[in-house]
């Protein structure tokens, strides 16, 4: 992996991947020309506008909505994915298929699981991936329902249409070839580590959050492990494609963006927010901040490019379209932000073409009554002498749309507490009748609240047990489909640990190894399970990280030619705590390193018997505590032998080794650049 063990632009990514795979606003008004069918090219992006009950095609290059199809019965919030000739509006209750050239509905099928799927547009697809249920549905020609088993991470697809899936519960990486009806799982992830799949210019890789490495992925298995150079948390997610040859990794909880690739890793601090996800156009990475309803973009060097409000509200993560542009849908379904490959951002309103009203029936103006007994010689008033009164057509009655059950509640989430959880959700579409209540259900219970409630507390849960909560809405027409939160685990009064205390970095002048020690962090209700140590030189080189269970770490070869910064963070069941950090700018005054030898105890060895045969008594002082060194015995006849020894915590080591039996011969010891005086053997 090279002397530095880091990515160097796209070529180092290619070196670790087995195989070669390619990487991966104009409003439509009532007076506009009616929308027509599209050609069969798979370009742009589709969005469903719940208020208009229609899906719209957004032309990313023309920055306009250029096609519209009515989707009766589609659920609010439906996500639209496209294949070469067909489009599909998917939701937890159903999938509605329509023709891209005819712009008409052709089929509707029930969903295999009551959850929002992740969608992938690729050759041989598109696909709807039901991550909690472990089911992949191939849409279009050759439609198939393919069970994978267990929870799945975010899927990715290579340019040849091969779908890669992370089977979380079993710690497997699985592939689904175009047209296949079952998956193959050729890779077992060590320790079932958490992480993300990414498609680079050279093929897919797996970013391992637990040991902070990245490996190439292929049908033959894992490639070589390469260190990221940053300490990413278990909950971090990576963009599904690279940005300027770098991996883009989002730490939601820590509000940080990491860019790992050529040169030293780049860390971009982010403002506090609720980040829904990230996607790359190739030259910029786009992040959606739901908390601040904002789109933020950065280039491959970490420089901020755009900070734009998201019209209609922020709810959905950004998606990369088949044209390599990034599309950000407004929560209202009436706006799309388009991020071009060069990073330019444009807003496209999605307003539709209103259906023209029926022409009113012509109305014949009433004929004025002829005056009775009008004298012939008296002139009649001319109508032109009075202003004409326009005749207004009678308003046409609007059709009455019957009420239907509500849609699924939006954005269901849960937060764990001590034997409890707090569940939140967004309003469900009323569909013609006021929502009268919401029902929250979970394994072991259910609860009903009023139609105006958007959050509730659930008590009586078992600590240490995972719960998922499903919310459904009810109106006078019935109960609609449910939406389910991610699983959460209640725990008793557990907080992340405190900062480690007494952090100390010792490195002797002239030495290259740093010995890092610290005191225990406050547990805060749950035992500390690990400490995460990271380090780097002032220019960013030499960066590395490690996960340790003790309270010390030896950093070999770091040197002190320039300042080094070391950070230590404790972790428990509630997550990572406050970091402790220290910068070492100069070496410590070295204790005199020395090796003193003398004759030790008598021994018996090959062709060596007492009283002349004995061991060398060796006393080493002033060495790096905890370091393993090679100790070599040398005589007038050459090297006599070597042993690996670990220096004690006080920098000292005393032991007896290397039997000698040649009287009058000189013998001496070397270790870590230090040499003892010569001893004449007696």
């Amino acid at each position: 992996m090279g002397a530095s063990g880091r990515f160097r632009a796209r070529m180092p990514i290619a070196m670790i991947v087995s195989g070669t795979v390619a990487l991966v606003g104009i409003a439509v008004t009532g007076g506009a020309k009616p929308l027509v069918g599209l050609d069969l090219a798979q370009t742009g992006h589709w969005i469903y506008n719940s208020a208009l009950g229609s899906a719209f095609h957004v032309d990313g290059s023309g920055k306009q909505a250029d096609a519209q199809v009515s989707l009766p019965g589609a659920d609010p919030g439906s996500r639209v994915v496209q294949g070469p000739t067909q489009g599909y509006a998917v939701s937890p209750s159903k999938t509605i298929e329509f023709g891209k050239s005819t712009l008409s509905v052709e089929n509707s099928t029930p969903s295999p699981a009551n959850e929002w799927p992740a969608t992938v547009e690729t050759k041989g697809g598109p696909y709807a991936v039901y991550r909690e249920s472990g089911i992949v549905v191939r849409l279009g020609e050759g439609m198939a329902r393919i069970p994978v088993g267990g929870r799945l991470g975010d899927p990715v697809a290579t340019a040849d249409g091969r779908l890669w899936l992370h089977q979380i519960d079993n710690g497997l990486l699985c592939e689904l070839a175009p047209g296949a009806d079952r998956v193959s799982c050729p890779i077992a992830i060590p320790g079932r580590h958490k992480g993300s799949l990414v498609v680079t210019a050279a093929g897919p890789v797996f970013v391992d959050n637990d040991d902070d490495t990245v490996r190439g992925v292929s049908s033959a298995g894992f490639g070589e492990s390469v260190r990221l150079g940053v300490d990413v948390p278990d909950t971090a997610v990576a963009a599904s494609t690279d940005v300027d040859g770098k991996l883009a990794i989002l730490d939601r909880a820590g509000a940080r963006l990491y860019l790992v690739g050529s040169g030293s890793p780049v860390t971009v601090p982010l403002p506090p927010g609720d980040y829904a996800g990230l996607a790359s156009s190739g030259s910029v990475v786009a992040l959606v901040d739901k908390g601040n309803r904002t789109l933020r973009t950065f280039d491959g060097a970490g420089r901020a490019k755009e900070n734009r409000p998201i019209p209609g509200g922020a709810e959905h993560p950004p998606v990369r379209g088949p044209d390599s542009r990034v599309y950000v849908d407004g929560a209202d379904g009436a706006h799309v932000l388009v991020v071009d490959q060069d990073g330019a951002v444009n807003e496209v309103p999605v307003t539709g073409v209103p259906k023209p009203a029926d022409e009113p029936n012509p109305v014949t103006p009433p004929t004025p009554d002829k005056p009775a007994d009008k004298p012939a010689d008296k002139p009649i008033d001319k109508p032109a002498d009075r202003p004409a009164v326009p005749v207004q057509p009678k308003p046409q009655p609007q059709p009455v749309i019957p009420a239907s059950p509500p849609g699924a509640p939006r954005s269901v989430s849960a937060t764990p507490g001590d034997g409890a959880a707090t569940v939140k959700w967004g309003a469900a579409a009323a569909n013609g009748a006021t929502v009268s209540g919401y029902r929250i259900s979970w394994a072991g219970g259910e609860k009903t609240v009023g139609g105006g409630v958007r959050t509730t507390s659930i008590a009586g849960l078992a600590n240490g047990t995972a719960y998922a909560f499903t919310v459904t809405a009810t109106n006078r027409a019935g109960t609609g489909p449910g939406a389910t939160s991610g699983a959460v685990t209640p725990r008793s009064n557990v907080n992340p640990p405190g900062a480690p205390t007494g952090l100390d970095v010792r490195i002797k002048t002239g030495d290259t190894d740093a010995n890092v020690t610290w005191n225990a962090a406050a547990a805060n209700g749950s035992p500390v399970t690990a400490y995460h140590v990271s380090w780097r030189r002032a220019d960013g080189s030499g960066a590395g990280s490690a996960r340790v269970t003790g309270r010390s770490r030896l950093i070999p070869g770091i040197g002190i030619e320039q300042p080094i910064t070391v950070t230590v963070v404790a972790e428990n069941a509630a997550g990572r705590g406050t970091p402790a950090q220290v910068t070492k700018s100069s070496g410590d005054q070295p204790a005199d390193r020395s090796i003193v030898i003398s004759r030790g105890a008598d021994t018996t060895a090959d062709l060596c018997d007492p009283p002349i045969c004995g061991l060398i008594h060796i006393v080493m002082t002033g060495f790096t505590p905890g370091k393993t060194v090679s100790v070599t015995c040398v005589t007038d006849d050459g090297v006599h032998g070597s042993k690996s020894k670990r220096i004690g915590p006080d920098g000292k080591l005393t032991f007896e080794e290397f039997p000698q039996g040649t009287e009058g011969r000189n013998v001496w010891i070397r270790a870590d650049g230090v040499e003892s005086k010569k001893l004449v053997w007696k």
Side-chain angles (χ1 to χ4, degrees), residues 516-609:
V516 183
T517 59
W518 60 90
N519 299 325
N524 291 345
S526 178
V528 172
T529 55
Y531 291 92
H532 297 268
V533 187
S534 59
W535 58 88
R536 59 178 174 80
R537 298 189 182 102
D539 63 0
S541 66
S545 61
R547 180 181 185 272
V548 300
T549 55
R551 294 200 295 275
S552 66
R553 172 72 184 186
L554 184 69
I555 307 174
I558 190 69
I560 199 65
E561 290 80 9
Q562 56 178 287
I564 60 170
T565 298
V566 178
T567 304
V568 180
V569 182
E571 180 182 20
N572 65 7
R576 300 191 186 187
T578 305
Q581 189 175 84
V582 66
T583 297
K584 187 77 170 177
S585 300
S586 61
D588 301 308
Q589 185 67 29
D592 291 333
R593 295 197 300 169
S594 65
I595 303 175
V596 177
I597 62 174
S598 59
R599 180 189 171 99
D602 289 345
T603 189
T604 299
D606 292 341
L607 303 179
C608 180
D609 297 304

Side-chain angles (χ1 to χ4, degrees), residues 32 144-145 203 212 218 239 242 306 420 431 468 561 590 615:
R145 181 181 182 275
D212 302 322
S218 73
D242 64 5
E306 293 278 354
N431 291 346
E561 290 80 9
L615 298 172

Side-chain angles (χ1 to χ4, degrees), residues 325-408:
R325 292 180 173 87
V326 173
Y327 295 86
V328 180
D329 295 347
D332 61 356
H335 301 83
V336 177
L337 291 179
V338 182
V339 184
D340 286 330
Q341 292 95 329
D342 62 2
V345 179
N346 291 276
E347 178 188 344
V348 179
V350 182
T351 57
V353 177
K355 181 180 178 182
D358 295 333
E359 292 294 333
N361 295 325
V363 178
T364 303
T367 302
D369 294 335
K370 183 178 180 180
D373 301 325
K374 181 174 64 178
D377 58 350
K378 186 176 180 180
I380 300 174
D381 291 340
K382 297 179 180 180
D385 295 337
R386 299 186 300 273
V389 178
V391 178
Q392 300 293 337
K394 294 181 180 180
Q396 300 299 304
Q398 296 296 318
V400 177
I401 301 175
S404 60

Side-chain angles (χ1 to χ4, degrees), residues 21 35 79 215 230 293 371-372 403 428 441 457-458 479 585 608 681:
V21 182
L35 301 176
R79 299 164 188 174
R215 295 182 180 183
V230 294
R293 302 161 63 97
S441 60
S457 296
I458 308 296
T479 299
S585 300
C608 180
W681 195 256

Side-chain angles (χ1 to χ4, degrees), residues 90-103:
V90 296
S91 70
S93 68
K94 65 177 76 72
T95 296
I96 298 176
E97 178 182 357
F98 62 89
K100 291 169 59 176
S101 59
T102 63
L103 296 179

Side-chain angles (χ1 to χ4, degrees), residues 11-100:
M11 183 57 66
I13 297 179
M15 292 173 61
I16 67 167
V17 180
S18 300
T20 303
V21 182
L23 179 67
V24 132
I26 301 175
V28 182
T29 65
K33 182 179 179 180
L35 301 176
V36 297
L38 297 175
D39 59 23
L40 302 185
Q42 187 171 339
T43 61
H45 172 70
W46 287 86
I47 180 174
Y48 178 64
N49 186 319
S50 302
L52 299 177
S54 296
F56 294 83
H57 180 266
V58 175
D59 176 10
S61 59
K63 308 300 185 291
Q64 63 177 335
D66 59 1
Q68 174 181 351
V69 55
S70 177
L71 299 179
D75 292 334
S78 291
R79 299 164 188 174
V80 186
V81 61
Q82 63 177 325
T85 64
Q86 307 295 103
Y88 306 86
V90 296
S91 70
S93 68
K94 65 177 76 72
T95 296
I96 298 176
E97 178 182 357
F98 62 89
K100 291 169 59 176

